[in-house]
Amino acid sequence: MDCKATKTQLADLLLDPAAATPAAREHVAACAECGKELHDLQATMLAMDAWDAPEPSAYFDTRLAARLREEQANPPASFWERMRARLLCGSNPHFRPIAAGALALLLMLGGGTAVWMQNGTQPPVPPESATVHDLQLLDGNAQVYQQLSSLDADLDDDSGNPSKN
Ligand SMILES: [Zn+2]
């Protein structure tokens, strides 16, 4: 018998050793790990036997009943609080799968709408960096200066201005 199979019988070995199989008893006697686990459980049970659980006060039931009556007399909570309480503490076993399905459907619809909206529009143009912008400006200015100076040279040639020569 291996450790895993023995551990399923630890409760029997602890509470009613006669109910456990002989193989489990032999394994616990031979295996140090399982023997220690059984010994620890026995120590815990001894400690629990020595502990006296405190008695509830004489008025516990009365006060609990009064609190319950107060809660029943309170006005009903808001819709979302009631839904939350039903989701967390509800006893209807079919409600959770239905709620999970509804949420999944909502997620799929939302995701599909987002994809559909993104496909309809162009991807955003990445903003150009300031350096690129400055270089483009300088390039444009250089072209303008070149054109101006060529115009100036043409004018000088046509007029035959002596100051240039
Ligand atoms: Zn073992």
Side-chain angles (χ1 to χ4, degrees):
M1 193 169 214
D2 62 348
C3 292
K4 196 176 172 190
T6 304
K7 280 175 183 168
T8 62
Q9 298 205 8
L10 273 180
D12 281 343
L13 288 165
L14 179 70
L15 302 171
D16 185 13
T21 59
R25 270 178 278 166
E26 281 171 26
H27 180 87
V28 164
C31 175
E33 190 188 326
C34 294
K36 183 184 182 316
E37 191 160 348
L38 181 63
H39 181 263
D40 289 348
L41 285 171
Q42 284 167 339
T44 304
M45 291 304 278
L46 281 176
M48 295 282 281
D49 286 343
W51 181 64
D52 278 335
E55 286 293 316
S57 81
Y59 305 108
F60 179 80
D61 287 342
T62 314
R63 280 187 290 186
L64 182 64
R67 288 281 305 275
L68 283 175
R69 276 194 302 272
E70 273 177 34
E71 283 300 316
Q72 282 175 342
N74 275 348
S78 72
F79 173 76
W80 291 112
E81 278 181 48
R82 273 183 285 147
M83 285 299 286
R84 185 172 159 269
R86 180 175 279 194
L87 197 63
L88 291 178
C89 316
S91 57
N92 186 348
H94 305 297
F95 186 73
R96 282 180 184 215
I98 289 172
L103 283 176
L105 191 68
L106 207 67
L107 273 176
M108 287 191 319
L109 282 176
T113 307
V115 166
W116 177 67
M117 286 174 68
Q118 278 183 353
N119 280 345
T121 59
Q122 293 293 322
V125 178
E128 61 187 20
S129 74
T131 312
V132 171
H133 183 71
D134 289 348
L135 285 174
Q136 283 175 340
L137 268 179
L138 281 175
D139 194 37
N141 286 347
Q143 282 178 357
V144 169
Y145 287 138
Q146 199 174 13
Q147 287 168 353
L148 281 177
S149 64
S150 68
L151 274 175
D152 194 32
D154 287 348
L155 284 174
D156 284 349
D157 286 348
D158 290 346
S159 66
N161 194 341
S163 68
K164 198 77 174 176
N165 293 327

